Amino acid sequence: MFDPKGETRSHYAPLHSRIDTLGAAALADRQRTLERSFLLQGITFTVYGAETTTERIIPTDLFPRIIPAAEWARVEAGLIQRLRALNLFLADIYGPQKILSDGVIPRDLVLGAPSYRREMQHLFVPHGAFVNVCGSDLIRQPSGEFVVLEDNLRVPSGVSYMLANREASRRTFPEVFRESRVRAVERYPDLLLATLKSMAGDWRPLPQVVVLTPGVYNSAYYEHAYLARLMGVPLVEGRDLVVHDGIVYMRTTSGLRRVDVIYRRVDDDFIDPLAFRRDSSLGVAGLFNAYRAGSVVICNAPGTGVADDKAVYAYVPAIIRYYLAEDAILNNVETYLCREPAQLDHVLANLDKLVVKAVGASGGYGMLVGPHASAVERERFAAALRADPDNYIAQPTIQLSTAPCLVEGRMEPRHVDLRPFILSAEKVVVTPGALTRVALKRGSLVVNSSQGGGSKDTWVLAEDGGDPA
Amino acid sequence: MMLARVADSLYWAGRYVERAEHVSRLAEVMLNATLDRSDAARHVAAITRGALGDPGGSGDLLDLARAMSLDRDNPSSVLMSLARARENARQVRDQITSETWERLNILYLRAVSARASASFAADPLAFLGEIVSDLHLFKGAADSTMSHGEGWRFMVTGVFLERAQLIARLLRASFGGGLAGAPEEPLALVTVLRMACALEPYLRTYTADLNARFILEFLMFDEDFPRSIRYATDQIEQHLNHLARGRELGRQDPQRLAGRLKARLAFADIGEVEGSGAGQILAAVEAESKAIHEAMYEAFVAYPLETRLPAA
């Protein structure tokens, strides 16, 4: 909101003056109203504790974050470029594997990754769109430049919070919202439906789309139900589906109905006990065979996780150059691959300055934040690194940018990242908005909702609403 | 067309909502009617216990009301019914309008909140009364915001199937021994009507002439009162006919059972009941409601797959 000199950045001016007029009491009041409305709507996620399980709302901050048109244009172009390249990469490694033969990426790094699915080899994916829904995590560097921290290509979540936050911020700051010419995010559900339909449109004129959820105990269940409701398609669980003669059906009150496109919010491992994990009860036996036979489309395709693997991540700029012959518009965060001995030595020597992440893990688990860790924790991680270097990468402690948040009635800076949502089938479309995740503990850098993070709305301004500068 | 699991959840949401409302009302009316220690009050306590399926029970009535309302170990308490209704609704959250869902979610959150037991203690009548009127809001929201298609019909069938059984059980507890032994104290009779939420409609039909025969006639056979057993069975039959339209459901189809139950109510009259006692026909209502429930489950939810494969 503020520039380095402490002046209000111009695109924030209307919001800032409105906040001043409202005053602390009115703001706290609106914050309470907002939280209550989330709770009543059931916009909650489930926290699994040692003994109790509770439903909580993701703490939501009142103040929207504002991104001017010019900044967004660059982000949008960068995200489109990146997802195009990653889809080409997936089509290649599950096809001719040219990029591996050409030695751009070490073969064992891709084929040896736990998220690589040999079962996907030579499988036809419509439009080459392996990733239909992507939710990349971006951070803003001190220079103001957005860089990509992580590509989430498996089953990214959070889009329902983007939509709910928008609903809330429009109610909280209606005047500023009108004046600011904020671009709409509300079309996301119908764009998602169009994307999913187009994955089967070529051979099924009116494809039956369903959302596959692990069920009501999943922490993102609210979102699954929300998207199904707004798209007007059935929300199914594994037990609702059966495969017969290579065709997927759902059990309805009037018998079996054919299913054409499955927007699955279940991880690869669990979608089919016959193909993947045998102990999974969330999936559908025979689903993967039906998929291989081409009678159903699974979105995102199984096996996309190999392209958001934290080690493959380091090669994304090279991937973009290889397939598109372009330089990456959005840069990566500098990343050390511990599989390279020289880089491992560097990481071990600088453990107190680096963030170390396990390659396969996500959601803020299996991670060491060097500067905040105790000597004992660092030693434990150093041992793990030496034992299994392939499993780790390290990055400099990233200074996440901050945005003002309402904390106990006062405006205070908190660290934030940015998760825009990108849809891809025939075309790649970036929704002009995002989920801004907030690390609510002062000084904390962890924004994951499972670890005490919150969120806020993100306003992307239309062309002439941005910085005059 | 709707998922079998979804239809089942909506049906159960309807049943639990109706149960929560009925038990709240029983507890509220019982507390209100037993403030003194008259004979009528003893009678009311016995009726309540009978309607809950525990005719031999004893103990303090305020404790009983608390157990009926907030006891987590009592599977038919209001709290547990609300929790189950909400859990079922949450599993089919995409099928229920937000307006409907929010009514139920508010109720649930209030009933499980840490303050619930204090607000019950402070004013149990107000606490229970509020739950009843909020459940009316839920039904109103469902009726006026949900599309009256398949899903809604499953939910409403759940409501009426539960209602037919609950009212039958209440009447059995009140008049099951035949009209000769029926309570005569006006207070006990008014209480039975209140427990069925029927006092005002009854007075408009029969004036303030309170006697067991009329009450039984009203709650069993009235065609217009939404809590009479005949009305409930009419509704069940109507909704099941819609749901079964265009489907091959086999011989034990639920709508045939519902038609039979409806006919039984339509062709019986109070004279017949006076002769043989109401107990027999009320027991039949309960048994046949259970049979309809099982037939619905067989026909719509747990059907054998090989019978429903699409034609190749």
Side-chain angles (χ1 to χ4, degrees), chain A residues 84-115:
Chain A
R84 277 178 58 214
L86 287 170
N87 270 327
L88 288 167
F89 169 68
L90 285 161
D92 186 14
I93 60 163
Y94 289 122
Q97 304 189 335
K98 283 198 211 108
I99 196 167
L100 306 182
S101 313
D102 290 343
V104 179
I105 303 182
R107 189 174 285 269
D108 68 304
L109 183 119
V110 173
L111 302 187
S115 45

mmCIF file of all heavy atoms in Angstrom, chain A residues 84-115:
data_model
loop_
_atom_site.group_PDB
_atom_site.id
_atom_site.type_symbol
_atom_site.label_atom_id
_atom_site.label_comp_id
_atom_site.label_asym_id
_atom_site.label_seq_id
_atom_site.Cartn_x
_atom_site.Cartn_y
_atom_site.Cartn_z
ATOM 1 N N ARG A 84 1.477 -22.781 -20.793
ATOM 2 C CA ARG A 84 1.612 -23.365 -22.138
ATOM 3 C C ARG A 84 2.847 -24.258 -22.194
ATOM 4 O O ARG A 84 2.809 -25.390 -22.667
ATOM 5 C CB ARG A 84 1.722 -22.263 -23.193
ATOM 6 C CG ARG A 84 0.371 -21.690 -23.627
ATOM 7 C CD ARG A 84 0.536 -20.556 -24.635
ATOM 8 N NE ARG A 84 1.261 -20.995 -25.829
ATOM 9 C CZ ARG A 84 2.100 -20.199 -26.516
ATOM 10 N NH1 ARG A 84 2.316 -18.954 -26.138
ATOM 11 N NH2 ARG A 84 2.700 -20.670 -27.582
ATOM 12 N N ALA A 85 3.955 -23.727 -21.652
ATOM 13 C CA ALA A 85 5.198 -24.491 -21.689
ATOM 14 C C ALA A 85 5.088 -25.759 -20.845
ATOM 15 O O ALA A 85 5.553 -26.830 -21.250
ATOM 16 C CB ALA A 85 6.354 -23.615 -21.202
ATOM 17 N N LEU A 86 4.450 -25.651 -19.688
ATOM 18 C CA LEU A 86 4.367 -26.825 -18.812
ATOM 19 C C LEU A 86 3.480 -27.908 -19.422
ATOM 20 O O LEU A 86 3.763 -29.102 -19.297
ATOM 21 C CB LEU A 86 3.859 -26.418 -17.420
ATOM 22 C CG LEU A 86 4.892 -25.648 -16.592
ATOM 23 C CD1 LEU A 86 4.263 -25.067 -15.331
ATOM 24 C CD2 LEU A 86 6.076 -26.538 -16.231
ATOM 25 N N ASN A 87 2.405 -27.494 -20.104
ATOM 26 C CA ASN A 87 1.579 -28.489 -20.789
ATOM 27 C C ASN A 87 2.350 -29.168 -21.922
ATOM 28 O O ASN A 87 2.243 -30.384 -22.107
ATOM 29 C CB ASN A 87 0.291 -27.849 -21.328
ATOM 30 C CG ASN A 87 -0.844 -27.912 -20.311
ATOM 31 O OD1 ASN A 87 -0.945 -28.861 -19.538
ATOM 32 N ND2 ASN A 87 -1.692 -26.893 -20.295
ATOM 33 N N LEU A 88 3.151 -28.384 -22.652
ATOM 34 C CA LEU A 88 3.984 -28.979 -23.704
ATOM 35 C C LEU A 88 5.002 -29.942 -23.105
ATOM 36 O O LEU A 88 5.277 -31.016 -23.653
ATOM 37 C CB LEU A 88 4.704 -27.874 -24.494
ATOM 38 C CG LEU A 88 3.796 -27.046 -25.413
ATOM 39 C CD1 LEU A 88 4.508 -25.798 -25.910
ATOM 40 C CD2 LEU A 88 3.335 -27.900 -26.599
ATOM 41 N N PHE A 89 5.533 -29.549 -21.954
ATOM 42 C CA PHE A 89 6.510 -30.385 -21.261
ATOM 43 C C PHE A 89 5.873 -31.726 -20.866
ATOM 44 O O PHE A 89 6.439 -32.798 -21.102
ATOM 45 C CB PHE A 89 7.018 -29.631 -20.030
ATOM 46 C CG PHE A 89 7.835 -30.461 -19.084
ATOM 47 C CD1 PHE A 89 9.090 -30.928 -19.453
ATOM 48 C CD2 PHE A 89 7.365 -30.754 -17.806
ATOM 49 C CE1 PHE A 89 9.857 -31.692 -18.570
ATOM 50 C CE2 PHE A 89 8.122 -31.511 -16.922
ATOM 51 C CZ PHE A 89 9.361 -31.980 -17.310
ATOM 52 N N LEU A 90 4.654 -31.654 -20.305
ATOM 53 C CA LEU A 90 3.985 -32.887 -19.882
ATOM 54 C C LEU A 90 3.684 -33.785 -21.086
ATOM 55 O O LEU A 90 3.873 -34.998 -21.042
ATOM 56 C CB LEU A 90 2.704 -32.555 -19.127
ATOM 57 C CG LEU A 90 2.949 -32.037 -17.704
ATOM 58 C CD1 LEU A 90 1.736 -31.290 -17.159
ATOM 59 C CD2 LEU A 90 3.330 -33.187 -16.775
ATOM 60 N N ALA A 91 3.212 -33.153 -22.184
ATOM 61 C CA ALA A 91 2.912 -33.935 -23.390
ATOM 62 C C ALA A 91 4.187 -34.599 -23.898
ATOM 63 O O ALA A 91 4.151 -35.722 -24.408
ATOM 64 C CB ALA A 91 2.308 -33.039 -24.458
ATOM 65 N N ASP A 92 5.303 -33.927 -23.720
ATOM 66 C CA ASP A 92 6.577 -34.469 -24.195
ATOM 67 C C ASP A 92 7.067 -35.610 -23.308
ATOM 68 O O ASP A 92 7.367 -36.705 -23.792
ATOM 69 C CB ASP A 92 7.611 -33.336 -24.251
ATOM 70 C CG ASP A 92 8.924 -33.794 -24.877
ATOM 71 O OD1 ASP A 92 8.951 -34.883 -25.497
ATOM 72 O OD2 ASP A 92 9.926 -33.069 -24.738
ATOM 73 N N ILE A 93 7.091 -35.391 -21.982
ATOM 74 C CA ILE A 93 7.669 -36.460 -21.146
ATOM 75 C C ILE A 93 6.762 -37.674 -21.078
ATOM 76 O O ILE A 93 7.206 -38.769 -20.827
ATOM 77 C CB ILE A 93 8.016 -35.984 -19.723
ATOM 78 C CG1 ILE A 93 6.771 -35.472 -19.014
ATOM 79 C CG2 ILE A 93 9.099 -34.931 -19.736
ATOM 80 C CD1 ILE A 93 6.968 -35.392 -17.530
ATOM 81 N N TYR A 94 5.449 -37.473 -21.300
ATOM 82 C CA TYR A 94 4.561 -38.633 -21.402
ATOM 83 C C TYR A 94 4.414 -39.085 -22.853
ATOM 84 O O TYR A 94 3.515 -39.849 -23.184
ATOM 85 C CB TYR A 94 3.200 -38.334 -20.769
ATOM 86 C CG TYR A 94 3.268 -38.248 -19.264
ATOM 87 C CD1 TYR A 94 2.872 -37.101 -18.583
ATOM 88 C CD2 TYR A 94 3.753 -39.317 -18.518
ATOM 89 C CE1 TYR A 94 2.951 -37.022 -17.203
ATOM 90 C CE2 TYR A 94 3.841 -39.245 -17.134
ATOM 91 C CZ TYR A 94 3.431 -38.098 -16.473
ATOM 92 O OH TYR A 94 3.531 -38.033 -15.111
ATOM 93 N N GLY A 95 5.271 -38.534 -23.737
ATOM 94 C CA GLY A 95 5.247 -38.915 -25.136
ATOM 95 C C GLY A 95 6.650 -39.236 -25.598
ATOM 96 O O GLY A 95 7.298 -40.133 -25.048
ATOM 97 N N PRO A 96 7.161 -38.465 -26.564
ATOM 98 C CA PRO A 96 8.472 -38.799 -27.151
ATOM 99 C C PRO A 96 9.683 -38.528 -26.242
ATOM 100 O O PRO A 96 10.772 -39.013 -26.533
ATOM 101 C CB PRO A 96 8.527 -37.904 -28.394
ATOM 102 C CG PRO A 96 7.546 -36.814 -28.167
ATOM 103 C CD PRO A 96 6.480 -37.378 -27.287
ATOM 104 N N GLN A 97 9.500 -37.755 -25.190
ATOM 105 C CA GLN A 97 10.595 -37.442 -24.242
ATOM 106 C C GLN A 97 11.781 -36.775 -24.911
ATOM 107 O O GLN A 97 12.936 -37.056 -24.576
ATOM 108 C CB GLN A 97 11.020 -38.720 -23.510
ATOM 109 C CG GLN A 97 9.850 -39.384 -22.805
ATOM 110 C CD GLN A 97 10.260 -40.521 -21.901
ATOM 111 O OE1 GLN A 97 11.299 -41.138 -22.094
ATOM 112 N NE2 GLN A 97 9.436 -40.788 -20.891
ATOM 113 N N LYS A 98 11.484 -35.858 -25.844
ATOM 114 C CA LYS A 98 12.578 -35.171 -26.550
ATOM 115 C C LYS A 98 13.433 -34.350 -25.598
ATOM 116 O O LYS A 98 14.652 -34.307 -25.706
ATOM 117 C CB LYS A 98 11.985 -34.229 -27.614
ATOM 118 C CG LYS A 98 11.502 -34.959 -28.853
ATOM 119 C CD LYS A 98 11.360 -33.960 -30.013
ATOM 120 C CE LYS A 98 10.249 -34.383 -30.950
ATOM 121 N NZ LYS A 98 9.056 -33.570 -30.905
ATOM 122 N N ILE A 99 12.788 -33.692 -24.650
ATOM 123 C CA ILE A 99 13.540 -32.798 -23.767
ATOM 124 C C ILE A 99 14.556 -33.594 -22.945
ATOM 125 O O ILE A 99 15.621 -33.080 -22.589
ATOM 126 C CB ILE A 99 12.583 -31.983 -22.870
ATOM 127 C CG1 ILE A 99 13.320 -30.792 -22.256
ATOM 128 C CG2 ILE A 99 11.956 -32.856 -21.774
ATOM 129 C CD1 ILE A 99 12.448 -29.760 -21.617
ATOM 130 N N LEU A 100 14.234 -34.860 -22.683
ATOM 131 C CA LEU A 100 15.171 -35.696 -21.929
ATOM 132 C C LEU A 100 16.295 -36.175 -22.844
ATOM 133 O O LEU A 100 17.464 -36.152 -22.474
ATOM 134 C CB LEU A 100 14.447 -36.884 -21.305
ATOM 135 C CG LEU A 100 13.229 -36.542 -20.433
ATOM 136 C CD1 LEU A 100 12.631 -37.817 -19.839
ATOM 137 C CD2 LEU A 100 13.606 -35.583 -19.318
ATOM 138 N N SER A 101 15.925 -36.549 -24.078
ATOM 139 C CA SER A 101 16.957 -36.985 -25.034
ATOM 140 C C SER A 101 17.919 -35.850 -25.347
ATOM 141 O O SER A 101 19.109 -36.063 -25.535
ATOM 142 C CB SER A 101 16.315 -37.450 -26.349
ATOM 143 O OG SER A 101 15.246 -38.306 -26.091
ATOM 144 N N ASP A 102 17.380 -34.635 -25.402
ATOM 145 C CA ASP A 102 18.238 -33.488 -25.686
ATOM 146 C C ASP A 102 19.042 -33.047 -24.467
ATOM 147 O O ASP A 102 19.788 -32.074 -24.536
ATOM 148 C CB ASP A 102 17.400 -32.314 -26.207
ATOM 149 C CG ASP A 102 16.863 -32.584 -27.610
ATOM 150 O OD1 ASP A 102 17.392 -33.502 -28.270
ATOM 151 O OD2 ASP A 102 15.916 -31.893 -28.037
ATOM 152 N N GLY A 103 18.839 -33.718 -23.351
ATOM 153 C CA GLY A 103 19.660 -33.434 -22.178
ATOM 154 C C GLY A 103 19.385 -32.108 -21.499
ATOM 155 O O GLY A 103 20.228 -31.599 -20.763
ATOM 156 N N VAL A 104 18.225 -31.537 -21.724
ATOM 157 C CA VAL A 104 17.915 -30.252 -21.076
ATOM 158 C C VAL A 104 17.626 -30.473 -19.588
ATOM 159 O O VAL A 104 17.976 -29.659 -18.744
ATOM 160 C CB VAL A 104 16.710 -29.584 -21.776
ATOM 161 C CG1 VAL A 104 16.361 -28.279 -21.097
ATOM 162 C CG2 VAL A 104 17.030 -29.356 -23.251
ATOM 163 N N ILE A 105 16.985 -31.588 -19.296
ATOM 164 C CA ILE A 105 16.705 -31.950 -17.908
ATOM 165 C C ILE A 105 17.211 -33.367 -17.695
ATOM 166 O O ILE A 105 17.041 -34.221 -18.561
ATOM 167 C CB ILE A 105 15.189 -31.930 -17.611
ATOM 168 C CG1 ILE A 105 14.616 -30.560 -17.923
ATOM 169 C CG2 ILE A 105 14.903 -32.291 -16.155
ATOM 170 C CD1 ILE A 105 13.154 -30.442 -17.605
ATOM 171 N N PRO A 106 17.868 -33.635 -16.547
ATOM 172 C CA PRO A 106 18.352 -35.001 -16.306
ATOM 173 C C PRO A 106 17.194 -35.993 -16.338
ATOM 174 O O PRO A 106 16.151 -35.765 -15.723
ATOM 175 C CB PRO A 106 18.956 -34.931 -14.901
ATOM 176 C CG PRO A 106 19.096 -33.495 -14.582
ATOM 177 C CD PRO A 106 18.189 -32.715 -15.465
ATOM 178 N N ARG A 107 17.380 -37.068 -17.071
ATOM 179 C CA ARG A 107 16.332 -38.068 -17.242
ATOM 180 C C ARG A 107 15.856 -38.627 -15.902
ATOM 181 O O ARG A 107 14.661 -38.761 -15.654
ATOM 182 C CB ARG A 107 16.893 -39.207 -18.119
ATOM 183 C CG ARG A 107 15.872 -40.219 -18.578
ATOM 184 C CD ARG A 107 16.508 -41.209 -19.551
ATOM 185 N NE ARG A 107 16.718 -40.633 -20.865
ATOM 186 C CZ ARG A 107 15.831 -40.691 -21.865
ATOM 187 N NH1 ARG A 107 14.695 -41.311 -21.669
ATOM 188 N NH2 ARG A 107 16.066 -40.145 -23.023
ATOM 189 N N ASP A 108 16.796 -38.938 -15.012
ATOM 190 C CA ASP A 108 16.396 -39.588 -13.762
ATOM 191 C C ASP A 108 15.588 -38.649 -12.871
ATOM 192 O O ASP A 108 14.754 -39.086 -12.092
ATOM 193 C CB ASP A 108 17.634 -40.095 -13.012
ATOM 194 C CG ASP A 108 18.483 -38.950 -12.489
ATOM 195 O OD1 ASP A 108 18.891 -38.085 -13.301
ATOM 196 O OD2 ASP A 108 18.705 -38.890 -11.270
ATOM 197 N N LEU A 109 15.838 -37.352 -13.030
ATOM 198 C CA LEU A 109 15.109 -36.398 -12.207
ATOM 199 C C LEU A 109 13.619 -36.423 -12.530
ATOM 200 O O LEU A 109 12.763 -36.314 -11.652
ATOM 201 C CB LEU A 109 15.669 -34.987 -12.442
ATOM 202 C CG LEU A 109 15.053 -33.879 -11.599
ATOM 203 C CD1 LEU A 109 16.111 -33.254 -10.737
ATOM 204 C CD2 LEU A 109 14.394 -32.832 -12.451
ATOM 205 N N VAL A 110 13.296 -36.598 -13.809
ATOM 206 C CA VAL A 110 11.891 -36.637 -14.213
ATOM 207 C C VAL A 110 11.311 -38.029 -14.010
ATOM 208 O O VAL A 110 10.304 -38.217 -13.330
ATOM 209 C CB VAL A 110 11.741 -36.217 -15.690
ATOM 210 C CG1 VAL A 110 10.308 -36.414 -16.158
ATOM 211 C CG2 VAL A 110 12.176 -34.776 -15.872
ATOM 212 N N LEU A 111 11.993 -39.026 -14.607
ATOM 213 C CA LEU A 111 11.411 -40.365 -14.586
ATOM 214 C C LEU A 111 11.470 -40.982 -13.192
ATOM 215 O O LEU A 111 10.711 -41.894 -12.863
ATOM 216 C CB LEU A 111 12.111 -41.265 -15.602
ATOM 217 C CG LEU A 111 12.068 -40.741 -17.048
ATOM 218 C CD1 LEU A 111 12.646 -41.788 -18.009
ATOM 219 C CD2 LEU A 111 10.659 -40.367 -17.468
ATOM 220 N N GLY A 112 12.376 -40.477 -12.356
ATOM 221 C CA GLY A 112 12.499 -41.023 -11.006
ATOM 222 C C GLY A 112 11.639 -40.310 -9.982
ATOM 223 O O GLY A 112 11.566 -40.730 -8.830
ATOM 224 N N ALA A 113 11.007 -39.231 -10.406
ATOM 225 C CA ALA A 113 10.199 -38.489 -9.435
ATOM 226 C C ALA A 113 8.992 -39.332 -9.019
ATOM 227 O O ALA A 113 8.398 -40.008 -9.845
ATOM 228 C CB ALA A 113 9.712 -37.173 -10.045
ATOM 229 N N PRO A 114 8.640 -39.296 -7.700
ATOM 230 C CA PRO A 114 7.506 -40.120 -7.251
ATOM 231 C C PRO A 114 6.198 -39.717 -7.939
ATOM 232 O O PRO A 114 5.286 -40.522 -8.046
ATOM 233 C CB PRO A 114 7.433 -39.845 -5.746
ATOM 234 C CG PRO A 114 8.295 -38.654 -5.500
ATOM 235 C CD PRO A 114 9.273 -38.549 -6.616
ATOM 236 N N SER A 115 6.136 -38.467 -8.406
ATOM 237 C CA SER A 115 4.889 -38.015 -9.022
ATOM 238 C C SER A 115 4.838 -38.333 -10.516
ATOM 239 O O SER A 115 3.861 -38.018 -11.179
ATOM 240 C CB SER A 115 4.748 -36.506 -8.822
ATOM 241 O OG SER A 115 5.977 -35.880 -9.114
#
